[in-house]
Amino acid sequence: MKELFPAKQVNGFVFSLVLTVIAISVYFVDMSYEIGLTILLVTAFIQAGVQLIIFMHAGESKDKGSIYTSLFYAIFIALVTIFGSLLAMVWGYM
Amino acid sequence: MEFFERFAVPHPSPLIYASMVAIGLTVLAIIFGITYFKKWGYLWKEWLTTVDHKRIGIMYMISALLMLFRGGADAVMMRLQTSVPDNTFLEAQHYNEVFTTHGVVMIIFMAMAFIIGLMNFVVPLQIGARDVAFPRLNALSFWLYFAGAMLFNISFVIGGSPDAGWTNYYPLASNDFSTSVGVNYYNWALQISGLGTLMTGINFIVTIIKMRAPGMKLMKMPMFTWSALITNAIIVFAFPVLTIALIMGTLDRQFGTSLFTSTSGGMDMQWANLFWIWGHPEVYILILPAFGVYSQIISTFSGRNLYGYKSMVGSMVIISLMSFLVWAHHFFTMGHDAFTNSIFSITTMAIAVPTGIKIFNWLLTMWKGKIRFTVPMLYSVAFIPLFTIGGVTGVMLGVASADFQYHNTMFLVAHFHNVIIPGVVFAMLAGMTYWWPKMFGFMLNEKIGKWAFWFVSIGFCFSFFPMYITGLDGQARRMYTYSESTGFGPLNMLSFFGAGVMAIGFIIIVYNVLYSIKNSPRNIGDDPWDARSLEWATQTPVQEYNFAITPEVESSDAYWDHKKKGYQLFKGNIEKIHMPNNSGLPIIMAGIMLVFAFSFVFYIWAGVIVAAIAFLACLIYRSFEKDDGHYIPVSEIKETENKNGGAN
Ligand code: HEM
Ligand SMILES: [Cu+2]
């Protein structure tokens, strides 16, 4: 029976529901803007990871090398673009 | 009549009217010619509907050459205008339109098309594939690019050209300062050809990752294929930024938003930021395939395998990441604090290191090699010192504090032409000459080719080196004229002279093509250059299916091993081959897109809606269409192979 029950997927589903609840709580619970945004960002990234690994099966097939490479490449470029733009257009702008 | 008034050119001149007549006559002549020789059917069946990567590649390259002449004519006009002080050949507005058109045409419609064309022709052959992963998407890519190019090119006779520079900075590009529909043309032409490019990016990544011949590990791919893989990765990550920036520009100009204005919470410099987030990776999109071409050519004509294969690959991977780290060096003077400028200054200088590694690898490949100075090799050898000068002046510009002196002067113009012409243009001419026999079954005349090489490269030096000096002396870029007292006159005259010499070089290239079509021998065999990589293991000219038997490979110089070490490339038997069917849908969809974009440029909403519905209908049709391709039977393959003396 054990092989038939998709424990990983069910746990993943519960976990992603928990993450969603935490994210929604930012709206209802009274907290500062910074803390709220931090919670949102953190839960969003974990959520994306859960979806990718558990439900989109990254890492289960032969080409997991290319999948993870392009994923990290994309994350790197996204972060660089966002923080670089903030630096160029807001923080470092006189 | 009111409806048609919008199509009038806002700043007419005799030159423009003459071009209108010329364009009209050329179109008529082409239509008449094709009809007269009854070639419509042939054209439609063999070319316009083709999904064959080789033919698509050739069409890209033909378009690129046409655009080279369009952009070249603009260049000569600009150099003519600035050749003497206080010249009145072009007025300020026309000069603006000409340099804008020149920049866009050369980067987007010439250089991009040329590299994508070469990739199309060469990559599947180099990896032993029969076509790209998505052949029909590939055709759509080409036709979207072509639609974008045509849209852009009619702007100067219908409605007015863009005039805010190829960089199209706001607020200059906003409705307030650029009042004609020109910048709308810019937005839409780049948008649709950019979509084509993005699809090419995805297509080639999949092709290279998934469709390599058995045995060709990643680290056994020929260097041009490696450069294509990296380039397409950059395309996929950089082009979406351009797409978004262009949409934002369209919203501002055509729907009254204020994203790029300094009032209402907008930010005009945000355009510059987004443009260069795409724009700097874009210059590496252009140069990396050129590096790939040089790697193949230098190794072939030095008779040696490429020195430092791993470091070549490694440096390209590093460049692809770092190309996303440096973009703010294009606006050091915008008003950053010293800390911000220092960061981008350091990343900019660091990117010169992997580039330098590649230069040494090429030099070491030639070291002790037995060099044959053919036309492709001449371009490659000239590339090394000339490109190095461009790189060094790039590092000078990368020094943020010093850039306050160089920025927006002719020094900058000299820098980027110095990297783009010996880098990209030489590579394309070299690559075209090198792979020409595979494309057409005869070689370009070497002697005439060498004449062209000398004209182009000496012309280049005369044309652009003087700009370094006038730039340091303070001549600003994009100024339509200057007074005699500045003393810029003589050097600008020299530059005009150089541009003329280059133009002659390009005319010689055209003459060479015509001459060679007529006079070159056709019995050149499959490997006229004594080359090394897999594409030379095909027949000349290449069959529709590329390889009768899928090759098996053990090194990046598979064909060399076959020739020198008796390595067996084709181990299996001939089996029936599955090939994709031709389709008219791509060209029709691109045509609809052209109508859509043209209507959008002129705010003709009826046209926009009809075209959008038609486009959607094509997508739906495609989703339900059953198209399983076709098989070429063994008997037919055997017949073709025998007729042409068979590859094995
Ligand atoms: C060693 C490598 C390079 C360095 C350090 C470098 C550095 C720079 C810098 C700092 C600028 C901006 C200067 C200013 O606006 O004041 C610039 C402009 C430019 N570079 Fe480079 N560059 C390098 C290689 C290349 C290559 C390989 C290409 C193209 C194939 C290229 C194409 C351009 C273009 C098109 C512009 C300016 C466009 C414009 O403003 O209209 N560069 N470069
Ligand atoms: Cu740059």
Side-chain angles (χ1 to χ4, degrees):
Chain A
M1 267 322 268
K2 205 166 174 243
E3 308 83 77
L4 286 181
F5 184 71
K8 191 174 153 200
Q9 272 69 20
V10 173
N11 288 340
F13 181 61
V14 173
F15 188 45
S16 69
L17 284 182
V18 173
L19 285 170
T20 313
V21 172
I22 300 178
I24 289 181
S25 70
V26 171
Y27 178 76
F28 294 102
V29 181
D30 192 31
M31 63 179 84
S32 76
Y33 179 77
E34 285 78 18
I35 296 180
L37 210 61
T38 315
I39 293 179
L40 283 182
L41 274 174
V42 172
T43 48
F45 272 95
I46 301 177
Q47 183 76 270
V50 171
Q51 298 297 328
L52 259 166
I53 291 162
I54 299 181
F55 296 108
M56 292 166 83
H57 306 280
E60 285 174 24
S61 55
K62 250 201 352 257
D63 45 11
K64 74 173 174 200
S66 348
I67 291 179
Y68 279 122
T69 312
S70 50
L71 189 65
F72 288 127
Y73 195 93
I75 292 175
F76 172 78
I77 287 171
L79 291 177
V80 161
T81 318
I82 291 167
F83 286 102
S85 293
L86 282 171
L87 181 66
M89 305 303 294
V90 183
W91 300 328
Y93 197 58
M94 293 188 299
Chain B
M1 256 2 260
E2 212 181 310
F3 177 79
F4 289 102
E5 266 162 33
R6 68 181 90 191
F7 299 128
V9 183
H11 310 282
S13 80
L15 224 55
I16 291 183
Y17 288 127
S19 327
M20 279 184 197
V21 176
I23 292 177
L25 288 178
T26 318
V27 171
L28 280 180
I30 291 174
I31 294 178
F32 178 77
I34 298 174
T35 316
Y36 184 79
F37 291 106
K38 299 208 173 55
K39 290 287 184 196
W40 282 113
Y42 165 78
L43 210 60
W44 178 257
K45 271 210 231 62
E46 301 290 328
W47 292 92
L48 304 186
T49 59
T50 187
V51 293
D52 182 336
H53 69 97
K54 300 180 285 296
R55 295 199 164 173
I56 291 176
I58 289 170
M59 290 194 292
Y60 263 118
M61 283 186 265
I62 292 173
S63 319
L65 284 174
L66 287 177
M67 290 296 116
L68 180 69
F69 281 90
R70 166 77 214 266
D74 290 333
V76 173
M77 276 158 67
M78 287 188 287
R79 289 330 304 167
L80 177 61
Q81 162 64 21
T82 48
S83 60
V84 288
D86 299 312
N87 201 358
T88 53
F89 168 60
L90 296 172
E91 341 140 23
Q93 174 64 25
H94 281 142
Y95 193 78
N96 293 349
E97 293 175 12
V98 171
F99 72 65
T100 304
T101 307
H102 168 76
V104 175
V105 164
M106 285 302 203
I107 300 267
I108 308 278
F109 301 125
M110 188 282 286
M112 284 302 281
F114 225 134
I115 62 160
I116 294 180
L118 266 190
M119 284 193 307
N120 257 292
F121 188 85
V122 177
V123 167
L125 298 180
Q126 273 198 339
I127 62 175
R130 297 225 156 92
D131 207 319
V132 294
F134 310 112
R136 202 190 281 193
L137 191 70
N138 199 23
L140 183 62
S141 285
F142 169 73
W143 288 111
L144 282 178
Y145 148 75
F146 193 74
M150 290 303 108
L151 183 69
F152 194 83
N153 273 282
I154 55 169
S155 65
F156 81 115
V157 288
I158 303 177
S161 280
D163 54 2
W166 84 280
T167 49
N168 201 48
Y169 277 12
Y170 288 77
L172 189 57
S174 67
N175 285 330
D176 297 339
F177 297 99
S178 187
T179 46
S180 77
V181 292
V183 178
N184 298 353
Y185 268 115
Y186 175 99
N187 286 337
W188 284 105
L190 266 64
Q191 189 67 278
I192 54 184
S193 67
L195 285 177
T197 308
L198 190 54
M199 293 176 198
T200 301
I202 295 167
N203 210 341
F204 274 81
I205 292 178
V206 179
T207 307
I208 297 173
I209 298 283
K210 289 282 187 192
M211 294 172 63
R212 298 192 306 279
M216 189 179 278
K217 303 248 172 56
L218 277 179
M219 290 309 273
K220 290 187 174 149
M221 297 195 304
M223 197 47 70
F224 181 69
T225 299
W226 254 116
S227 73
L229 177 62
I230 307 269
T231 304
N232 285 298
I234 307 182
I235 286 179
V236 168
F237 288 102
F239 267 76
V241 183
L242 179 68
T243 306
I244 296 299
L246 290 170
I247 290 177
M248 290 166 77
T250 302
L251 287 174
D252 263 19
R253 285 185 57 91
Q254 303 198 263
F255 296 98
T257 58
S258 325
L259 298 162
F260 296 139
T261 46
S262 45
T263 53
S264 320
M267 218 176 186
D268 42 9
M269 281 308 292
Q270 184 65 26
W271 164 267
N273 187 51
L274 293 175
F275 183 87
W276 287 115
I277 288 176
W278 162 78
H280 190 87
E282 163 68 16
V283 307
Y284 280 91
I285 292 169
L286 296 178
I287 200 68
L288 287 180
F291 287 172
V293 172
Y294 291 131
S295 299
Q296 303 291 166
I297 290 175
I298 288 177
S299 136
T300 295
F301 294 111
S302 305
R304 304 189 54 198
N305 57 346
L306 194 62
Y307 184 90
Y309 180 93
K310 279 190 194 138
S311 64
M312 283 298 212
V313 174
S315 59
M316 279 198 293
V317 173
I318 294 175
I319 287 177
S320 83
L321 285 168
M322 291 193 38
S323 67
F324 285 93
L325 297 178
V326 300
W327 75 92
H329 66 211
H330 292 277
F331 42 88
F332 277 145
T333 56
M334 174 180 102
H336 298 137
D337 55 22
F339 174 72
T340 308
N341 269 355
S342 309
I343 289 183
F344 286 106
S345 197
I346 291 167
T347 52
T348 301
M349 286 184 236
I351 208 171
V353 176
T355 315
I357 291 176
K358 301 183 83 71
I359 302 264
F360 283 108
N361 281 336
W362 290 312
L363 290 175
L364 288 167
T365 306
M366 287 192 278
W367 188 259
K368 290 196 182 149
K370 215 164 147 271
I371 298 179
R372 285 177 287 154
F373 283 105
T374 57
V375 171
M377 188 62 173
L378 279 179
Y379 281 111
S380 311
V381 171
F383 147 78
I384 294 178
L386 291 178
F387 183 82
T388 306
I389 299 174
V392 169
T393 55
V395 175
M396 289 170 72
L397 290 162
V399 182
S401 46
D403 186 56
F404 279 71
Q405 183 72 21
Y406 315 131
H407 183 56
N408 274 351
T409 65
M410 294 310 275
F411 188 90
L412 163 72
V413 176
H415 154 69
F416 69 76
H417 285 89
N418 206 159
V419 276
I420 291 181
I421 293 175
V424 186
V425 178
F426 279 22
M428 294 308 117
L429 296 175
M432 182 179 88
T433 316
Y434 181 60
W435 281 296
W436 188 277
K438 269 287 160 233
M439 296 177 203
F440 301 110
F442 61 91
M443 300 176 76
L444 290 175
N445 186 288
E446 279 281 297
K447 202 164 157 213
I448 306 176
K450 285 181 185 168
W451 275 103
F453 162 77
W454 287 110
F455 271 87
V456 171
S457 48
I458 293 176
F460 162 78
C461 294
F462 277 111
S463 187
F464 291 98
F465 289 163
M467 293 182 197
Y468 281 124
I469 302 170
T470 60
L472 287 179
D473 283 345
Q475 187 185 358
R477 75 190 289 199
R478 294 176 176 169
M479 295 291 286
Y480 80 108
T481 194
Y482 50 88
S483 70
E484 180 149 21
S485 60
T486 56
F488 299 147
L491 284 171
N492 276 285
M493 182 49 101
L494 193 60
S495 183
F496 172 57
F497 166 74
V501 174
M502 261 176 111
I504 295 173
F506 285 111
I507 292 169
I508 297 178
I509 291 176
V510 175
Y511 171 71
N512 194 7
V513 171
L514 299 177
Y515 178 89
S516 305
I517 290 177
K518 219 166 144 235
N519 299 316
S520 281
R522 296 305 199 259
N523 55 340
I524 51 167
D526 295 336
D527 176 29
W529 300 114
D530 195 14
R532 315 173 70 87
S533 43
L534 197 55
E535 73 271 28
W536 300 99
T538 56
Q539 296 186 2
T540 294
V542 190
Q543 297 305 326
E544 179 198 356
Y545 45 76
N546 295 353
F547 299 89
I549 301 168
T550 303
E552 287 174 39
V553 177
E554 269 172 16
S555 79
S556 62
D557 287 345
Y559 189 55
W560 188 256
D561 294 350
H562 167 70
K563 284 189 294 188
K564 303 287 143 148
K565 301 181 196 154
Y567 174 76
Q568 194 64 28
L569 278 172
F570 302 102
K571 292 186 182 131
N573 294 318
I574 293 183
E575 286 165 32
K576 62 179 181 172
I577 295 176
H578 183 233
M579 295 300 291
N581 287 335
N582 284 359
S583 166
L585 209 55
I587 186 173
I588 292 173
M589 287 170 77
I592 294 172
M593 199 55 132
L594 185 61
V595 175
F596 176 85
F598 183 83
S599 312
F600 225 122
V601 167
F602 287 97
Y603 306 83
I604 305 170
W605 303 122
V608 170
I609 293 167
V610 171
I613 293 172
F615 197 81
L616 211 65
C618 290
L619 291 179
I620 294 170
Y621 172 80
R622 172 63 177 143
S623 307
F624 291 97
E625 184 189 6
K626 249 199 150 54
D627 176 14
D628 298 326
H630 62 276
Y631 282 97
I632 307 178
V634 176
S635 58
E636 197 184 318
I637 302 167
K638 283 206 169 128
E639 201 179 306
T640 355
E641 292 292 305
N642 290 337
K643 195 169 65 204
N644 297 292
N648 35 8

